[in-house]
Amino acid sequence: MWGALLRRGARGPGGLRGLASGGPPWSQVVSEAEKIVGYPTSFMSLRCLLSDELSNIAMQVRKLVGTKHPLLDTARQRSLAEITELIHTAFLVHRGIVNIGELKSCDGPLKDMQFGNKMAVLSGDFLLANACTSLAQLQNTKVVELISSAIGDLVQGIYYENSQSSEENCLTDDICISTWKDQVFLSHSALLAKSCQAAMELAKHSAEIQDMAFQYGKHMSMSHKLHSDLQPFVKESSTDTVAFSLNSAPAVLHQEFLGREAWIKQIREAQGKGNIMDYKKLQGAIKAGKGVTSAIDLCRFHGNRALAALERFPPSEARAALANIVYAVTRFP
């Protein structure tokens, strides 16, 4: 969807309003964007893989490869969107693999958990294989290189996360916001950023426009991750305290302001018997510091960078939809 929207808007300069104006909620802006590109994006590729009718259409469209028919450009853009979603979904499925050594009796029978792991591996590999096959069929060397490097970034990002600690929510020896941003780019931003750039390459836009598309994807996804990390700290309607990662942006920024020794002391004070974390207590400590407000500022900083990249594109429905997505991920109660 992102590439299709960027392609529709890549024709000249124009103005955008600032983040202070706010914007509609996430679900609404995604729905409006889907109307512009003409199809829903959620699990679009999975439905295509399992649909005989759509598979037959795809086979007929492949016959156009090598021709200059305009339908082929549209098909390639949609195919790129599907490839991106397949890769994202494949890695989400792979992330669902559980550590058998850390299972508890309440998690379920060991045999069933082992079977679930096998299904997660095979399902993720199946989706990734289909994505790679479709990527080759685009017959564009630079696009193949971009998306392949994004897959490499995802692998590196996940390996980086796992190498930090063998236990979930356990701090690293040395974590700072710059380290957090490097990891988030690899595991979250690279795929979207390089997919946006690839969409501009398929549409034969200049290197400058391709770079602006990359910058939009990078900074928008960074804002989205920050917005997600902030939810346990800014939600007003929920009365339940939600467990959060101690490597989330507010926690990392809180540690930078507070100092590592004082941060570890707060964590230990929030741990009860059996090392069970009192997230409500720890959440209060983080909210009392500067971590939350700094994370909100960082989210809006990346949102403004994404909007600045969009300034290179002319006013249009597509650009407005992309801007609204940024507004949605920089809204806070």
Side-chain angles (χ1 to χ4, degrees):
M1 178 180 71
W2 315 94
L5 287 171
L6 283 166
R7 181 173 60 88
R8 288 167 183 260
R11 293 180 184 174
L16 291 167
R17 58 188 172 89
L19 289 179
S21 304
W26 175 259
S27 58
Q28 181 180 337
V29 298
V30 171
S31 177
E32 291 172 353
E34 288 177 341
K35 291 177 183 177
I36 293 174
V37 298
Y39 49 84
T41 59
S42 180
F43 294 106
M44 174 177 61
S45 298
L46 297 182
R47 289 198 296 267
C48 289
L49 286 174
L50 301 175
S51 169
D52 290 338
E53 291 81 2
L54 288 174
S55 296
N56 288 333
I57 292 173
M59 288 179 64
Q60 297 303 318
V61 171
R62 288 192 188 103
K63 295 179 181 179
L64 295 176
V65 173
T67 73
K68 295 183 179 180
H69 197 287
L71 177 60
L72 186 59
D73 289 335
T74 303
R76 282 174 173 166
Q77 290 289 335
R78 177 157 182 167
S79 179
L80 178 61
E82 293 175 354
I83 289 166
T84 302
E85 186 173 2
L86 277 176
I87 294 170
H88 176 65
T89 305
F91 276 87
L92 288 179
V93 172
H94 279 158
R95 281 173 180 264
I97 298 172
V98 300
N99 188 338
I100 298 296
E102 297 178 358
L103 290 178
K104 301 176 182 178
S105 57
C106 60
D107 292 327
L110 177 60
K111 185 177 180 180
D112 291 344
M113 300 302 288
Q114 290 174 331
F115 178 75
N117 274 358
K118 292 178 182 178
M119 290 298 296
V121 172
L122 292 173
S123 299
D125 288 350
F126 170 74
L127 296 176
L128 196 56
N130 274 277
C132 292
T133 301
S134 298
L135 182 61
Q137 290 170 349
L138 292 178
Q139 296 186 344
N140 186 302
T141 304
K142 184 175 180 180
V143 170
V144 171
E145 180 182 349
L146 283 168
I147 303 302
S148 298
S149 66
I151 294 174
D153 291 336
L154 278 167
V155 173
Q156 185 179 348
I158 294 172
Y159 176 81
Y160 182 83
E161 287 178 349
N162 293 335
S163 64
Q164 287 180 346
S165 173
S166 60
E167 296 182 8
E168 186 180 0
N169 284 340
C170 189
L171 284 174
T172 61
D173 292 334
D174 182 20
I175 185 170
C176 60
I177 195 61
S178 60
T179 301
W180 180 91
K181 289 172 74 172
D182 290 341
Q183 185 272 319
V184 167
F185 174 77
L186 292 172
S187 59
H188 291 80
S189 301
L191 179 60
L192 180 59
K194 292 181 179 180
S195 294
C196 290
Q197 182 180 354
M200 296 297 94
E201 164 64 22
L202 281 178
K204 297 179 176 59
H205 284 292
S206 66
E208 181 184 4
I209 292 297
Q210 290 182 35
D211 182 61
M212 290 300 101
F214 176 91
Q215 295 300 325
Y216 171 81
K218 172 185 174 181
H219 292 291
M220 197 293 298
S221 58
M222 196 73 74
S223 289
H224 185 271
K225 183 63 168 67
L226 283 158
H227 186 270
S228 177
D229 280 5
L230 280 160
Q231 290 313 296
F233 303 93
V234 300
K235 278 188 175 179
E236 296 179 345
S237 58
S238 176
T239 56
D240 298 329
T241 301
V242 181
F244 55 89
S245 171
L246 300 187
N247 287 329
S248 64
V252 171
L253 287 164
H254 177 71
Q255 177 189 238
E256 285 199 347
F257 286 111
L258 191 65
R260 180 161 177 80
E261 291 185 5
W263 171 229
I264 292 176
K265 182 180 178 181
Q266 286 185 342
I267 294 174
R268 288 174 177 169
E269 290 174 350
Q271 286 179 325
K273 294 181 179 180
N275 289 331
I276 298 176
M277 187 69 69
D278 184 350
Y279 283 100
K280 185 174 183 180
K281 184 175 182 179
L282 198 58
Q283 184 186 69
I286 294 174
K287 291 175 75 172
K290 299 179 181 179
V292 174
T293 55
S294 296
I296 291 174
D297 290 341
L298 186 60
C299 179
R300 288 175 174 158
F301 167 79
H302 285 289
N304 280 321
R305 293 289 299 273
L307 292 177
L310 283 181
E311 289 284 354
R312 299 294 303 169
F313 299 88
S316 64
E317 282 187 339
R319 195 187 75 167
L322 290 167
N324 281 336
I325 289 171
V326 177
Y327 299 140
V329 297
T330 52
R331 294 174 74 245
F332 297 98

